[in-house]
Amino acid sequence: MTQTTTSPSPNTPDRALLMDRGVPGRRGIRLPNLDVPAQPLPSADLLRDDLPLPELSQPEVVRYFTRLSQLNYSIDTQFYPLGSCTMKYNPKINDQVALLPGMANLHPMAPAQAAQGALKLMHRLQQYLADAAGMATASLATMAGAQGELAGVLMIHAYHQRRGETDRNLMLIPDSAHGTNPASAAMGGFTVAAIPSDARGNMDIVALREAAGPHLAGLMLTLPSTLGLFENNILEICDIVHRAGGLVYGDGANMNALLGQAKFGALGFDVVHINLHKTFSTPHGGGGPGAGPVCAGPTLTPFLPAPLVERASAGGKEAYHFTTPAQTIGKVGAFHGNFGVLVRAYAYIRALGGEGLRQVSEDAVLNANYLQARLRNAYDLAYDRLCMHEVVLSAGRQKKQGVKGLDIAKRLLDYGFHAPTMYFPLIVDEALMIEPTETEGKETLDAFIDAMLAIATEAQETPDLVRNAPHATPVSRLDEARAARQPDLRWKAKA
Ligand SMILES: Cc1ncc(COP(=O)(O)O)c(C=O)c1O
């Protein structure tokens, strides 16, 4: 058989589409002679012979699709330093646990007596998460971080309404908050006002004091902030808000920075959400199902979204059932949340235990600070202080050399790395937000650092190389907005 196409080397982009690779007469399969009576074809108007299907051998088809699958960047193939939307390695065994027939095939309408094991798991998870956050209890019903935020602000709203303080409609949000926070507050019906950050990346306390007036409903604070920093004045901040009659909401999506080190409840927060699809063993960033449980302190527990799972004793035996908190904001989705994600989180927590969870935060913070220490001479630091789970660099220096943050992110693709989050947080010029996560080893971090250092040198010496990157990917710079809005996915025959 003559080979008309050569297999591309793994690093050589091969843009020929399958439809264009055919060679007339080539076959992928040879059908046996007909050994049953021939059947008549449908009528001619239902038949067509104008489909220019490519004629290919089996290996060509297999190689094409295998190669295509290899072009997918994934956490199973490489390091994924995406700040804020953390893609960390999650143990595969937790997927297997979630896929056990008793878990995966359980019908959401199964009566509680037939689902005691599942309810027990949910009850325990409620408590584990509440303990980790230093709160009274948790609702597992919310299915995303942003949904947890919305539930939290609706709880704050319901609390003020119930006390007759109906004109408390102001939600304060620092400018270093996650972008979903102001959106959730606005959806919850609040007027949103931003509090600026000071020169150290903390919230400007003077501005907070001025804004905390009689209309204050609450404050939403992302901890660690999107600058990757711990808020140094958190105790004072919670105190100011409480004295003004407001409540404090914590965005705890990035609990992997705090586990076993600091508890939201002890810091003064009234309600907090946690992203299980980030910290607790479900991949984040892949667009798959998530869970954003809401944990509440005593003040807001009665307002939690339904259902909660409660334990009772019946005839000397423990029994579990769903309950609805007294002043609940109601249901936030069908049934009981994303059960498979809850199972993964439960398995993860049980496998690691208290010590293991503490080590998660130690490693996450150590890894980010290692990157910061080794990259600080080549890039500007947004804030020159110890960071938490992620480090925010600025490509301000490179911008003066004519190379932007976007160019650096694109050049990283040539070195085999996924790009970090760029241009976020908005308050950092040319931001490159890098989260190594706790699951990467030193060799991987060193390889990434070497690539970043090499790119910094290239920005100085051969800026065009960086400006025109990537060079080794199948496609180069796309019009990403147009690609999303007007995807061109149909193959058209060449004229
Ligand atoms: C700090 C923070 N808050 C909230 C969210 C929103 O979570 P979700 O994407 O599940 O809505 C994220 C997302 O990664 C986040 O990083």
Side-chain angles (χ1 to χ4, degrees):
M1 187 190 288
T2 49
Q3 194 75 26
T4 52
T5 53
T6 51
S7 293
S9 90
N11 297 321
T12 312
D14 180 0
R15 295 188 174 82
L17 294 172
L18 188 72
M19 297 296 281
D20 295 327
R21 290 175 183 228
V23 176
R26 179 148 310 152
R27 280 169 174 251
I29 191 160
R30 195 174 290 278
L31 295 174
N33 290 336
L34 199 62
D35 59 357
V36 292
Q39 296 299 308
L41 290 172
S43 61
D45 55 339
L46 293 177
L47 295 177
R48 55 191 292 195
D49 59 7
D50 60 342
L51 281 179
L53 294 175
E55 296 171 71
L56 297 148
S57 70
Q58 273 193 30
E60 284 167 330
V61 176
V62 170
R63 282 176 198 153
Y64 179 81
F65 283 109
T66 304
R67 172 79 186 118
L68 209 54
S69 76
Q70 289 167 341
L71 293 176
N72 273 338
Y73 197 97
S74 84
I75 194 66
D76 285 343
T77 54
Q78 253 294 25
F79 175 48
Y80 219 104
L82 204 55
S84 191
C85 288
T86 328
M87 184 59 111
K88 73 171 186 183
Y89 170 74
N90 291 291
K92 299 281 180 270
I93 191 163
N94 296 340
D95 290 340
Q96 288 171 18
V97 175
L99 286 174
L100 289 173
M103 304 289 189
N105 299 341
L106 186 60
H107 197 281
M109 291 181 84
Q113 312 88 284
Q116 283 295 297
L119 267 75
K120 183 172 181 176
L121 182 152
M122 291 173 75
H123 183 261
R124 284 186 171 180
L125 184 62
Q126 280 174 193
Q127 213 45 54
Y128 293 158
L129 296 175
D131 284 351
M135 293 283 169
T137 191
S139 165
L140 308 175
T142 34
M143 288 177 267
Q147 202 190 15
E149 293 167 26
L150 180 63
V153 295
L154 291 178
M155 288 161 64
I156 292 177
H157 179 260
Y159 167 83
H160 290 306
Q161 294 289 316
R162 188 139 191 112
R163 290 163 54 93
E165 301 201 44
T166 50
D167 54 354
R168 288 195 175 268
N169 55 7
L170 175 66
M171 189 62 74
L172 298 178
I173 304 187
D175 61 6
S176 61
H178 193 261
T180 45
N181 290 191
S184 300
M187 276 184 80
F190 290 102
T191 303
V192 176
I195 304 291
S197 301
D198 66 16
R200 299 264 303 142
N202 290 313
M203 193 192 295
D204 183 334
I205 293 274
V206 177
L208 174 66
R209 275 190 212 287
E210 279 167 13
H215 294 295
L216 183 67
L219 168 82
M220 287 182 92
L221 194 137
T222 305
L223 193 73
S225 70
T226 61
L227 299 168
L229 301 177
F230 190 82
E231 172 56 65
N232 289 149
N233 304 314
I234 189 62
L235 298 177
E236 192 181 351
I237 288 169
C238 291
D239 191 49
I240 293 171
V241 174
H242 286 144
R243 278 174 193 272
L247 295 177
V248 187
Y249 180 91
D251 181 332
N254 293 307
M255 273 284 267
N256 58 336
L258 298 176
L259 283 173
Q261 313 290 340
K263 298 197 176 199
F264 281 84
L267 297 173
F269 288 83
D270 299 288
V271 54
V272 59
H273 90 264
I274 302 172
N275 275 24
L276 299 190
H277 51 296
K278 185 171 245 191
T279 304
F280 292 101
S281 197
T282 287
H284 186 283
V294 194
C295 311
T299 315
L300 286 178
T301 291
F303 300 92
L304 277 168
L308 299 185
V309 179
E310 205 172 65
R311 184 172 64 176
S313 309
K317 275 182 67 185
E318 61 182 25
Y320 297 85
H321 58 268
F322 288 118
T323 57
T324 300
Q327 279 113 40
T328 182
I329 56 161
K331 281 186 76 88
V332 290
F335 305 113
H336 330 298
N338 268 330
F339 184 62
V341 179
L342 306 182
V343 175
R344 286 177 181 82
Y346 177 83
Y348 184 75
I349 292 171
R350 292 302 301 243
L352 285 173
E355 272 305 306
L357 293 177
R358 191 171 19 258
Q359 191 169 351
V360 162
S361 58
E362 283 168 7
D363 291 350
V365 172
L366 180 65
N367 279 358
N369 279 286
Y370 181 63
L371 290 187
Q372 172 166 306
R374 287 209 50 208
L375 291 173
R376 58 178 302 134
N377 292 332
Y379 294 87
D380 294 337
L381 279 184
Y383 294 90
D384 193 356
R385 51 185 268 204
L386 280 182
C387 63
M388 297 292 289
H389 62 300
E390 59 197 359
V391 52
V392 180
L393 303 175
S394 162
R397 195 183 313 176
Q398 285 73 21
K399 193 160 126 186
K400 291 188 195 115
Q401 295 156 358
V403 168
K404 298 208 283 200
L406 175 72
D407 305 323
I408 293 166
K410 294 290 183 195
R411 183 68 178 140
L412 267 173
L413 307 182
D414 287 338
Y415 282 88
F417 290 105
H418 194 281
T421 298
M422 286 172 302
Y423 300 128
F424 184 78
L426 300 174
I427 53 176
V428 175
D429 182 41
E430 294 294 325
L432 292 170
M433 185 196 215
I434 303 168
E435 176 165 5
T437 81
E438 62 276 14
T439 53
E440 298 300 336
K442 183 169 178 297
E443 297 73 22
T444 307
L445 299 185
D446 283 336
F448 176 74
I449 290 164
D450 288 347
M452 287 290 286
L453 295 177
I455 295 170
T457 307
E458 289 170 357
Q460 259 179 321
E461 295 173 0
T462 49
D464 275 344
L465 183 67
V466 188
R467 267 197 296 265
N468 297 322
H471 305 276
T473 52
V475 288
S476 190
R477 300 220 183 178
L478 299 170
D479 178 344
E480 286 161 18
R482 210 174 129 223
R485 287 182 193 143
Q486 298 164 8
D488 178 9
L489 303 175
R490 218 178 110 225
W491 176 84
K492 292 175 203 84
K494 289 193 183 109

